[in-house]
Amino acid sequence: MSPAVALLLVSLGVLSGCTNAPPPPVVESTSSTPTSEPPTEPPKPKVVVAGIDELRGGFNPHVLADQSPVTDALSEIMLPSVFVPGEDGERVLNSTLMESAEVLEDADEFTVRYRIRTEASWSDGPPIAAEDFVYLWEQLRRQPGVINPVGYRLISDVESRQGGKTARVTFDRPYPGWKSLFDHLLPAHLLKDAPGGWTDTLDYGYPASGGPFAIRAFDLDRGEVVLMRNERYWGPPAESDRIVLRAAGRSENINALRSGNVQLGMFTADASTMEALRGLGEDVQLTTMPRPVTSTVMLRPNSPQLSDVRVRRAVLAALDRQALVETGTGGGPAANLPAHAQVLAPSQPGYVPTEPSGEFADGPDSERVARLLTEAGYEHTGGSWVRDGTPLNLAIAAQFRESSYEAVANGVADQLNAQDISTTVVTPKGDELYRTMLTTDPDVQDPPRSAGIDLAVVARPVSADSAATMAAQWGCPAVDPDTGRTSRFNMAGFCDQLLQPTIEAAVTGEVPFRRASERVEPALWSGAVALPLYQEAQVLAVSRDVSGVRDGAGFAGPFSSAGEWVGTPGESYDW
């Protein structure tokens, strides 16, 4: 380095060290400096709390004894169906569960092939498969007290193919109502070998789910069911994290709607409840939801005391039907659905009244009661009707804890007593009433379990296949495929061999349902075997705090859209 360059560098170093310029700013590192901001909390789960009237055990949607609005709700949320109601109420393939379901034109017998989506599975892991079809078929064709078993009894075989993801179903005869089958499939892998699997396992909900939610907690004592999003659900994930069903009194649920503690309510409403609901104003939307059930007084012709049609007609002549409707509905929305047909319910497509004009228009007819009983050999003496030294004393059954049905049964008793017809009201549990008392041959039962029931106030279910409904309720006893014995009587114990060919022809499509109904309905009214009262209904109350709730086409109900409900942020549960 030359002396000149060295001198220049020394000079620059001196100048830089003596400058008056401020030092460069100090930049603090954000990564190493602690912050006083609190950590971000995770978002609260979206919750929909639904108020219900009551919560009691028994949730098998295929069993008469378990029918209730809560069973309807839980089965729609958790149990998959092959076909579901479309926007117009007609049944359409459930494409979330199924790839296809079709009648095989080249098969020797009437055969339907069901192809289940590969990814469809139960919430505990196993696939939804042909074994679930087999299990439902086997149970519904042989168990007593089930709903609309007729189509299943026409099935001769269910084969599992393609690793269980295809079910090939063969029928003994053509069955145009096949789309009504395999609703609310049950997890066969958990039920088929469980002790009391069909009768007891579903008393506390479902052990696995094939829908957008699964049961997280079930507390009958608290009256609460907590449903959590089903993480194994292969369809669109649920919009909300959980749904809570909370049972309480009507006034308590209405107050909870008002305060916002409940976002949705399902009410079996009487007139006073409707008035209170309307008082909630425009913040709560109200919708009447007819249920697939008709409240009916059954008169059992296989009862010794009611085997004479004149006695049955006398009983009907003694009743004030409108008073019974008022008793059962309390003046609520169901009172606007009076039933005047023996098969179809008032809200069903094609419903028309079939009741003979003026038959029950004027309430009790004492003169007609006396005339009919006298013709049947009874004598009015000592304030009662007596034949062969035995007073006419009718046993009336209603399911235990079904308050409206018990009230109607007591109303029937009071009206018959007013005509000097003695009565006894019994309230057995649902399993006993529907599985033992009403659907079994009374000749093989020890009184009073079956033969001792003369009248019953019952829930008469309807379905998408009206011909099968007619056959289930009014057809002659079926033959048990396992034993070959005649069994499974309908609830009324009714059988008309002259009507049976018409009923069977309607099921197989040989005779259109309407034409068959035109023959069957007059015979049922003339035979005095049932007095339809009203179609059951609930009121859906939805607050503005929840969105996505739809009424549900057909009888699907609002809970069929539960996966789309968007609730409000709520508290976590520790279960």
Side-chain angles (χ1 to χ4, degrees):
M1 182 183 295
S2 66
V5 173
L7 179 61
L8 176 61
L9 291 174
V10 171
S11 301
L12 289 173
V14 171
L15 288 174
S16 65
C18 299
T19 180
N20 292 325
V26 177
V27 179
E28 296 184 358
S29 171
T30 58
S31 62
S32 60
T33 303
T35 177
S36 60
E37 293 292 329
T40 303
E41 294 184 4
K44 290 184 176 182
K46 293 178 181 176
V47 180
V48 178
V49 181
I52 55 178
D53 289 335
E54 66 173 342
L55 180 66
R56 64 174 187 271
F59 300 96
N60 190 331
H62 305 287
V63 171
L64 285 163
D66 288 358
Q67 294 306 289
S68 73
V70 177
T71 297
D72 294 347
L74 292 177
S75 61
E76 286 295 337
I77 293 174
M78 300 173 61
L79 302 181
S81 298
V82 172
F83 285 85
V84 294
E87 293 298 327
D88 59 357
E90 294 294 323
R91 295 178 73 79
V92 298
L93 187 70
N94 179 4
S95 58
T96 302
L97 174 69
M98 304 296 299
E99 288 185 359
S100 63
E102 57 187 348
V103 176
L104 299 181
E105 300 295 341
D106 57 349
D108 294 335
E109 299 173 282
F110 188 85
T111 304
V112 180
R113 181 176 61 203
Y114 299 86
R115 286 176 170 164
I116 309 163
R117 296 186 71 88
T118 303
E119 63 271 30
S121 64
W122 295 104
S123 57
D124 61 340
I128 297 174
E131 71 167 338
D132 302 313
F133 285 65
V134 172
Y135 178 74
L136 198 59
W137 163 54
E138 290 179 340
Q139 299 304 311
L140 287 179
R141 71 174 182 151
R142 63 183 176 84
Q143 291 282 0
V146 297
I147 298 173
N148 291 323
V150 171
Y152 295 93
R153 292 173 184 165
L154 293 178
I155 296 174
S156 57
D157 190 30
V158 179
E159 299 177 75
S160 174
R161 298 189 176 186
Q162 295 181 318
K165 281 298 180 176
T166 294
R168 186 182 172 102
V169 179
T170 304
F171 294 77
D172 288 327
R173 289 177 287 171
Y175 181 47
W178 63 273
K179 291 183 180 180
S180 66
L181 301 180
F182 301 111
D183 277 1
H184 302 132
L185 293 169
L186 297 169
H189 65 286
L190 296 174
L191 299 181
K192 63 182 180 180
D193 297 322
W198 179 259
T199 56
D200 300 327
T201 305
L202 304 181
D203 282 352
Y204 301 97
Y206 309 124
S209 171
F213 289 91
I215 292 177
R216 177 66 181 274
F218 196 104
D219 193 327
L220 280 179
D221 294 332
R222 292 177 58 180
E224 191 168 86
V225 180
V226 179
L227 305 175
M228 301 290 289
R229 183 189 287 121
N230 178 10
E231 300 300 338
R232 288 186 180 270
Y233 186 54
W234 66 96
E239 295 288 344
S240 292
D241 298 276
R242 64 177 60 92
I243 294 174
V244 180
L245 304 183
R246 187 172 292 160
R250 294 175 187 173
S251 60
E252 186 177 345
N253 273 329
I254 291 171
N255 289 334
L257 272 170
R258 183 181 291 108
S259 66
N261 291 328
V262 164
Q263 293 82 48
L264 179 151
M266 287 291 288
F267 296 88
T268 303
D270 56 15
S272 61
T273 302
M274 287 304 303
E275 183 178 358
L277 286 170
R278 294 188 186 103
L280 297 175
E282 297 181 357
D283 288 339
V284 176
Q285 180 180 354
L286 305 178
T287 307
T288 296
M289 307 289 299
R291 296 188 62 233
V293 169
T294 300
S295 175
T296 303
V297 179
M298 308 288 290
L299 294 83
R300 308 186 71 225
N302 62 1
S303 156
Q305 296 198 94
L306 294 182
S307 60
D308 190 325
V309 67
R310 294 169 295 186
V311 179
R312 298 198 299 273
R313 290 173 180 166
V315 168
L316 292 182
L319 299 181
D320 184 337
R321 184 196 210 169
Q322 187 55 43
L324 296 177
V325 171
E326 179 64 28
T327 296
T329 66
N336 299 320
L337 295 168
H340 297 285
Q342 297 284 357
V343 177
L344 295 179
S347 73
Q348 286 188 284
Y351 168 84
V352 293
T354 60
E355 179 183 324
S357 178
E359 187 74 14
F360 306 101
D362 300 321
D365 187 338
S366 299
E367 291 184 4
R368 189 179 183 201
V369 171
R371 175 174 56 80
L372 288 167
L373 289 179
T374 300
E375 290 176 1
Y378 281 91
E379 179 182 4
H380 190 246
T381 178
S384 62
W385 290 95
V386 180
R387 183 174 64 184
D388 299 331
T390 303
L392 180 61
N393 189 338
L394 302 177
I396 307 169
Q399 184 174 346
F400 174 65
R401 289 188 62 182
E402 287 285 352
S403 57
S404 63
Y405 283 36
E406 289 186 30
V408 170
N410 287 318
V412 170
D414 291 341
Q415 292 177 15
L416 293 179
N417 293 342
Q419 302 295 326
D420 290 338
I421 299 174
S422 300
T423 60
T424 303
V425 175
V426 295
T427 55
K429 292 183 178 180
D431 283 349
E432 184 180 10
L433 177 64
Y434 289 110
R435 289 177 58 85
T436 304
M437 290 183 170
L438 299 182
T439 56
T440 307
D441 185 351
D443 292 335
V444 300
Q445 291 288 317
D446 294 329
R449 284 193 166 272
S450 177
I453 300 301
D454 304 298
L455 295 92
V457 181
V458 296
R460 183 173 60 80
V462 297
S463 74
D465 183 359
S466 299
T469 297
M470 180 166 63
Q473 294 173 1
W474 307 116
C476 291
V479 174
D480 191 310
D482 298 324
T483 66
R485 294 181 301 188
T486 300
S487 63
R488 293 190 303 274
F489 281 60
N490 56 56
M491 286 191 288
F494 175 82
C495 174
D496 187 329
Q497 294 292 351
L498 295 178
L499 290 179
Q500 189 64 17
T502 300
I503 293 173
E504 292 180 358
V507 171
T508 59
E510 299 170 58
V511 174
F513 167 75
R514 180 168 293 281
R515 189 189 307 169
S517 175
E518 289 173 352
R519 182 181 179 193
V520 172
E521 291 266 353
L524 295 175
W525 288 109
S526 177
V529 292
L531 179 63
L533 298 178
Y534 56 89
Q535 182 177 358
E536 291 188 12
Q538 282 209 304
V539 175
L540 170 67
V542 182
S543 75
R544 291 185 176 180
D545 294 335
V546 61
S547 61
V549 180
R550 294 184 285 108
D551 295 350
F555 290 122
F559 286 87
S560 63
S561 64
E564 303 168 28
W565 297 358
V566 180
T568 56
E571 297 301 323
S572 299
Y573 281 78
D574 296 329
W575 292 305

